[in-house]
Amino acid sequence: MLRFMPVGDSITIGSAGDHTWRYRMWQHLCATYSGPCTLVGPREALYDKTADAPTSYAYAEPDFPRTHLAGWGEGWLHMAPLIADAVRRSRADVLLVALGLIDLGFYTDAEQSADNARTFVTRARTANPRIHMVLLPVIPNIRAQTDTLFATQVALFNDLLEKAVADLDEPRSPLLLAPPPAYDLHRDTYDGTHPNTHGEHRIAEAFAEAMHQEWGLGEPYRAPAY
């Protein structure tokens, strides 16, 4: 059984009524991976915007392994202390990580965020020395289009994340930097940041293509045309 753990912020947890990119990834794995697999993690809920808390289970399609390690407003800073225990308890084999936007927006600069990403990788390996990880750069968002300083930090962090992946990659615990998704803020988000149906497919596609091309896992992602 191959166990995938989605790790991320609001883009990964999703909110009430969403399918989430996690669901799109699960669909893809079911269709293209030849062996048994599942999604794992210590959390299951969606974020409820009315309650301002992760208390919703109102998935658009609830019939899939909904577990994850994601939180609305959480970033590398928050997940690095949690990842070892989450990997150990869930026996995760592959981490699909989409973090950084919240860090840069509210908590840490690019250099600090990159340091936290390195800590995350190190701690994940303490729980599973053979863990595989796919890291997604900070994807396009509306703030980066209007805030020059923030856009500069995003670009710098993505460069530092690429360097971290190159530095920390090792044969028994490989790291991949997923290609940035072909993401259009007007077509693929509902608010300039959070993915709509199209965006969910774009994010799942970025992870799936990285694993297929580098590890031979699954097949090319078949995103619906729009």
Side-chain angles (χ1 to χ4, degrees):
M1 174 72 74
L2 195 60
R3 298 173 176 85
F4 296 81
M5 184 191 294
V7 182
D9 52 29
S10 56
I11 289 172
T12 298
I13 186 174
S15 57
D18 288 347
H19 282 89
T20 75
W21 70 259
R22 298 179 278 115
Y23 171 72
R24 310 300 180 183
M25 175 58 71
W26 173 245
Q27 286 186 307
H28 171 74
L29 291 171
C30 287
T32 68
Y33 183 64
S34 59
C37 62
T38 191
L39 303 182
V40 298
R43 303 175 182 177
E44 187 176 354
L46 296 159
Y47 183 74
D48 186 324
K49 294 180 181 179
T50 302
D52 191 24
T55 56
S56 175
Y57 294 87
Y59 284 85
E61 174 50 70
D63 188 18
F64 78 107
R66 300 175 298 183
T67 47
H68 59 81
L69 177 61
W72 200 277
E74 297 184 61
W76 292 107
L77 176 68
H78 308 85
M79 296 305 182
L82 304 179
I83 191 60
D85 185 63
V87 168
R88 189 176 298 111
R89 289 176 178 271
S90 67
R91 296 183 294 160
D93 302 297
V94 182
L95 302 182
L96 307 176
V97 187
L99 291 167
L101 178 61
I102 290 296
D103 301 85
L104 299 173
F106 297 97
Y107 302 113
T108 52
D109 63 20
E111 290 87 351
Q112 292 166 328
S113 299
D115 286 345
N116 288 333
R118 287 173 178 265
T119 299
F120 176 100
V121 170
T122 299
R123 290 180 176 174
R125 285 171 170 166
T126 66
N128 179 359
R130 298 187 179 277
I131 193 82
H132 290 41
M133 290 174 260
V134 188
L135 311 183
L136 189 70
V138 174
I139 62 178
N141 63 88
I142 193 67
R143 180 173 173 181
Q145 289 194 337
T146 58
D147 184 334
T148 302
L149 291 177
F150 181 70
T152 300
Q153 285 288 296
V154 168
L156 176 57
F157 171 76
N158 284 345
D159 287 343
L160 293 173
L161 186 66
E162 182 176 7
K163 185 177 188 307
V165 168
D167 289 346
L168 299 175
D169 183 35
E170 58 181 57
R172 72 170 184 169
S173 177
L175 293 180
L176 288 181
L177 186 67
Y183 211 60
D184 184 300
L185 298 185
H186 302 291
R187 295 187 300 173
D188 298 327
T189 76
Y190 62 80
D191 61 358
T193 299
H194 299 97
N196 58 21
T197 295
H198 301 142
E200 291 170 356
H201 281 290
R202 295 303 183 198
I203 295 169
E205 180 179 26
F207 283 116
E209 287 298 316
M211 292 190 290
H212 171 67
Q213 292 176 18
E214 298 298 326
W215 297 339
L217 193 154
E219 298 176 7
Y221 192 91
R222 297 181 178 87
Y226 66 92

